[in-house]
Amino acid sequence: MIHNFNPGPAALPPEVIARVQAELPDYRGTGMSILEMSHRSKEYEAINAAAEAQLKALLGLGDEYRVLFMQGGASMQFALIPLNFLPAGGVAEYIVTGSWGEKAYEEAQRVGSVHLRASTAADGYRGLPNVEDCTPDANAAYLHITTNETIQGVQWPAELPLFGDVPLIADMSSDFLSRPFPATRFALMYAGAQKNLGPAGVTVVVIRQDLIERSRKDLPVIMRYATFAKNNSLYNTPPVFAVYMVHLVLEWIKDQGGLAAMAERNARKAALVYAAIDASEGFYSGHAVPSARSLMNVTFRLLSPDLEKQFLAEAKEAGMVGLAGHRSVGGIRASLYNAVSPESAAALAHFMQDFAKRYG
């Protein structure tokens, strides 16, 4: 058995893979695969509409929000957000708690005036900033946060602090739909699908209607959120297969019990791995401070780089893949996204305990 801890593209629910396999040659009697079907067909338009409705239902959102299916990953959103919402003479504010927030901030600086409201870079992105340092200027165009940092393994709490009244925008690529959260607090949320939502190739954007209406109108048409909203994400050819799989994953999440069930499942998995770290008497050292630990990406180091290489080699032999830390920081990272089973988390925790006994 393979235990898939890849950080993205990541594990998908086996039930979804089985359904895709069954439907792939002939989608519901059409005689065609979803891979060769027109995005203007009534069959695909039904998939597209169902995915939007499913996602809004899971989040408890109404008609004041739209769901857009876009391409370019979160990295494209880093540029599109300031291009659409940062007016001439305006200022956007960013809170940076890790590498991806840093990239978003740097990209926005190429577009306009940006203020770093708070950052935890000085402590190596191990925790979260003081809440009193996070309230943006009331005149800011928007405030941007990253809810979960995959590289450092740092996550904001689900309930989130209050960030003032400016439009709140969040990169949720690695913890979207992993737990309930106050979705109506956000003016825009975006997530690359390849962690919790489906395969690589589509980026899901949930955006409030009033934000669409206030966005710039002098951009190239393909770069405007309003274009995607007006055309139900069908302005140009969408990533049809990826959206189809997002639709199936959303059905799977609902069938599992929704976001509350995902939260319980994910907390149980993370607790197993963090317990192995905490009980190791320093053999494993977690990167994030306990109060900011991610339930999605458990990051830790061993006593030496050589020991980390041995850990990865033996883990691979035991059927555990995707555990190497990001190339920019090294170490170990176990990504525990929605589709990763509790059995896989338990297997990793057992392996960690055994490894520490043998080499500690």
Side-chain angles (χ1 to χ4, degrees):
M1 177 181 179
I2 292 296
H3 301 285
N4 184 357
F5 299 104
N6 275 308
L12 288 162
E15 300 94 327
V16 170
I17 295 293
R19 184 168 170 186
V20 170
Q21 185 179 34
E23 292 185 341
L24 194 59
D26 180 0
Y27 180 71
R28 302 190 181 182
T30 61
M32 293 179 290
S33 168
I34 192 72
L35 292 168
E36 55 187 348
M37 190 179 295
S38 170
H39 66 291
R40 304 294 181 191
S41 67
K42 61 181 176 57
E43 290 84 4
Y44 178 72
E45 288 194 358
I47 291 170
N48 193 82
E52 175 169 7
Q54 289 166 325
L55 184 50
K56 287 167 65 173
L58 283 169
L59 295 174
L61 299 176
D63 292 340
E64 71 277 18
Y65 283 86
R66 291 300 312 274
V67 176
L68 313 178
F69 300 111
M70 304 178 70
Q71 299 180 61
S75 295
M76 179 70 79
Q77 299 301 315
F78 296 165
L80 290 183
I81 287 164
L83 283 170
N84 276 265
F85 307 122
L86 180 52
V91 177
E93 301 211 339
Y94 281 68
I95 296 174
V96 176
T97 52
S99 297
W100 294 111
E102 193 174 88
K103 289 180 182 294
Y105 171 64
E106 290 171 352
E107 191 74 351
Q109 288 179 296
R110 297 183 175 95
V111 175
S113 180
V114 183
H115 176 229
L116 184 61
R117 169 52 56 184
S119 171
T120 55
D123 73 351
Y125 295 131
R126 294 174 58 86
L128 296 168
N130 294 324
V131 173
E132 56 267 24
D133 297 331
C134 293
T135 303
D137 186 282
N139 295 316
Y142 62 84
L143 174 68
H144 182 283
I145 66 171
T146 305
T147 53
N148 183 75
E149 285 285 356
T150 60
I151 294 176
Q152 285 79 21
V154 171
Q155 186 178 32
W156 285 95
E159 61 274 14
L160 292 169
L162 294 173
F163 290 119
D165 296 326
V166 304
L168 180 60
I169 294 177
D171 177 359
M172 294 188 174
S173 289
S174 52
D175 66 349
F176 195 49
L177 302 190
S178 67
R179 58 188 181 175
F181 67 96
T184 55
R185 295 255 301 275
F186 294 88
L188 187 153
M189 303 160 266
Y190 61 98
Q194 66 273 13
K195 301 177 187 296
N196 277 322
L197 295 174
V202 63
T203 305
V204 174
V205 176
V206 182
I207 184 170
R208 210 168 57 208
Q209 288 277 13
D210 68 289
L211 196 64
I212 297 173
E213 293 161 5
R214 75 174 75 168
S215 62
R216 284 177 54 181
K217 298 175 174 58
D218 58 344
L219 296 174
V221 174
I222 195 65
M223 300 174 72
R224 298 183 58 209
Y225 292 104
T227 300
F228 286 83
K230 179 181 178 181
N231 293 277
N232 298 319
S233 302
L234 301 173
Y235 173 74
N236 63 334
T237 306
V240 171
F241 183 71
V243 175
Y244 157 72
M245 287 200 69
V246 167
H247 161 58
L248 298 185
V249 171
L250 293 172
E251 284 190 352
W252 177 80
I253 292 174
K254 179 182 177 182
D255 290 345
Q256 300 305 304
L259 300 192
M262 289 296 103
E264 188 278 330
R265 172 186 172 99
N266 292 327
R268 182 157 41 102
K269 293 183 299 187
L272 290 169
V273 183
Y274 282 121
I277 293 172
D278 293 340
S280 72
E281 298 181 345
F283 184 82
Y284 303 112
S285 57
H287 176 78
V289 299
S291 61
R293 281 175 165 175
S294 169
L295 300 185
M296 295 284 95
N297 309 99
V298 180
T299 55
F300 58 96
R301 304 302 299 250
L302 277 74
L303 296 174
S304 71
D306 287 342
L307 206 53
E308 290 173 351
K309 291 178 183 178
Q310 186 68 23
F311 179 95
L312 292 170
E314 292 193 20
K316 186 175 182 180
E317 289 178 5
M320 300 178 193
V321 300
L323 286 169
H326 191 270
R327 62 187 179 278
S328 65
V329 298
I332 313 296
R333 171 175 56 179
S335 295
L336 305 175
Y337 301 128
N338 284 350
V340 175
S341 70
E343 292 74 20
S344 287
L348 174 59
H350 177 77
F351 172 80
M352 292 171 65
Q353 292 160 359
D354 178 67
F355 190 88
K357 287 178 183 177
R358 289 186 288 113
Y359 292 97

